[in-house]
Amino acid sequence: MSIDLAHAVVVITGASSGIGQATAEAFARRGSRLVLAARSLAALEKVAETCRSLGADAIAVETDVTDPQAVVALASKAEEFGRIDVWVSNVGIGAVGRFHETPIEAHEQVVRANLLGHINDAHAVVPIFLRQGHGVFINMISLGGFAAAPFAAAYSASKFGLRGFAEALRAELADKPNIHICDIYPAFVDTPGLRHGANYVGREITAPPPVINARRVARAIVEVAISPRPSTTVGSVTAMTRLAHLVAPNFAARTLGRFMEGYFERAPRVEVSSGNLYGPPARAGGIDGGLRSEASHTSRNVVLALTAIAALAAGAAVASGSHRRRRSIDALSDWLSRHR
């Protein structure tokens, strides 16, 4: 199945910045008719205006995906175009902090947005897809769907859960050849998301290199909309993370946890904040987060490759006993700290 995106009706949630905005602009260049959703109507209107300048029809619909009725209303608004061809379920928020130091309300809100929000999206649009006999539902998951992220327990829970939800829904719809449930797993992406997220660790948060351009993720989404497939990874880090988790999941998580502890000990202090958990950020921030450094891209990729080799080599020690495993984790953690 291949979809012609010219005049296709595309719904994008979380469209006010980052990957969502980049995806809206990418579909706009294809001539799609866009229904853009997020909590900030002002930010959405700016994105919609940009999309219209690119030649697309675009409307903005203020929507909180944690509210099922609001998502149903969004779907009804989109149906005014006559149909819904593609739905990009893109909302994602995070809270960084030790599990017991992060308010339980924050954990709940992360799961509510990242998991239940996507379930709400699907629950609103799948009946429409079934009535019209076709449709592509695209889930934005992330490498967090394959490997746990220490200091972001609820985020990890939501992403693991979202992957399970997508697999289950895909199985239910397996006898509907023109309805597709597609997952996107990008590596670390350069968006304003880290600045917007909740910070309960009180330290500056950044992403490890290499950080990929959000427009690259948007291109992958457009490609999946044209030629649907179940799972798409974006960035070599996702593939390596998936492999490391398959080979030695506990070892990989413990090593990452020790590395993050070391990073937070040295990172500059910042104020504790709930970020955008309970409302849109004061400034949407556009597509880019300013996390990429082109000048050091090559050297960072070398470091990444060496890190992957070291991780896989150390993983071989997992079966050799707890003492050796502890030494392997310590050695790899020290190496990561020196080369981050």
Side-chain angles (χ1 to χ4, degrees), residues 32 48 54 92 141 146 154 159 176 201 217 238 282 287 308 327 338:
S32 302
L54 294 171
I141 299 183
F146 293 123
K159 295 299 183 177
K176 309 295 181 185
V201 76
V217 183
T238 301
I287 294 175
R327 288 171 56 194
R338 293 196 302 272

Side-chain angles (χ1 to χ4, degrees), residues 21-43:
Q21 180 178 345
T23 301
E25 293 181 9
F27 277 108
R29 292 185 178 92
R30 297 290 187 129
S32 302
R33 292 177 288 178
L34 302 176
V35 181
L36 308 179
R39 292 175 296 180
S40 172
L41 185 58

Side-chain angles (χ1 to χ4, degrees), residues 98-293:
R98 293 184 182 277
F99 173 73
H100 63 283
E101 294 176 351
T102 300
I104 191 62
E105 296 82 7
H107 290 306
E108 291 175 350
Q109 184 66 4
V110 169
V111 173
R112 192 175 292 118
N114 292 1
L115 178 55
L116 295 181
H118 289 245
I119 291 175
N120 289 338
D121 284 356
H123 202 263
V125 75
V126 165
I128 296 171
F129 287 170
L130 289 170
R131 286 199 302 270
Q132 64 191 22
H134 73 274
V136 181
F137 185 83
I138 301 177
N139 261 317
M140 180 56 57
I141 299 183
S142 91
L143 62 79
F146 293 123
F151 295 89
Y155 180 87
S156 296
S158 68
K159 295 299 183 177
F160 271 63
L162 185 54
R163 179 161 63 92
F165 164 70
E167 290 178 1
L169 183 57
R170 192 155 42 239
E172 284 191 30
L173 297 172
D175 62 341
K176 309 295 181 185
N178 293 322
I179 298 177
H180 304 272
I181 308 299
C182 308
D183 304 333
I184 306 290
Y185 297 91
F188 300 105
V189 185
D190 182 17
T191 73
L194 284 180
R195 292 201 311 270
H196 292 166
N199 185 332
Y200 294 103
V201 76
R203 299 285 184 168
E204 184 177 273
I205 300 170
T206 188
V211 182
I212 62 178
N213 192 321
R215 295 164 187 82
R216 180 179 172 187
V217 183
R219 289 196 296 271
I221 292 170
V222 170
E223 290 171 4
V224 168
I226 295 171
S227 299
R229 53 188 177 274
S231 297
T232 299
T233 60
V234 185
S236 58
V237 175
T238 301
M240 286 186 288
T241 300
R242 189 176 186 179
L243 176 60
H245 185 265
L246 178 65
V247 172
N250 293 329
F251 175 83
R254 288 175 63 187
T255 300
L256 179 57
R258 286 178 62 83
F259 170 62
M260 292 181 68
E261 284 181 351
Y263 169 80
F264 288 137
E265 287 176 0
R266 294 181 295 275
R269 292 186 179 276
V270 297
E271 289 186 10
V272 169
S273 168
S274 61
N276 67 341
L277 288 185
Y278 307 108
R283 294 176 55 203
I287 294 175
D288 301 301
L291 301 175
R292 284 173 293 150
S293 176

Side-chain angles (χ1 to χ4, degrees), residues 251 255 314-315 317-318 323-333:
F251 175 83
T255 300
V318 170
H323 180 65
R324 187 173 177 184
R325 181 162 59 248
R326 179 78 267 162
R327 288 171 56 194
S328 298
I329 292 173
D330 289 342
L332 181 55
S333 180

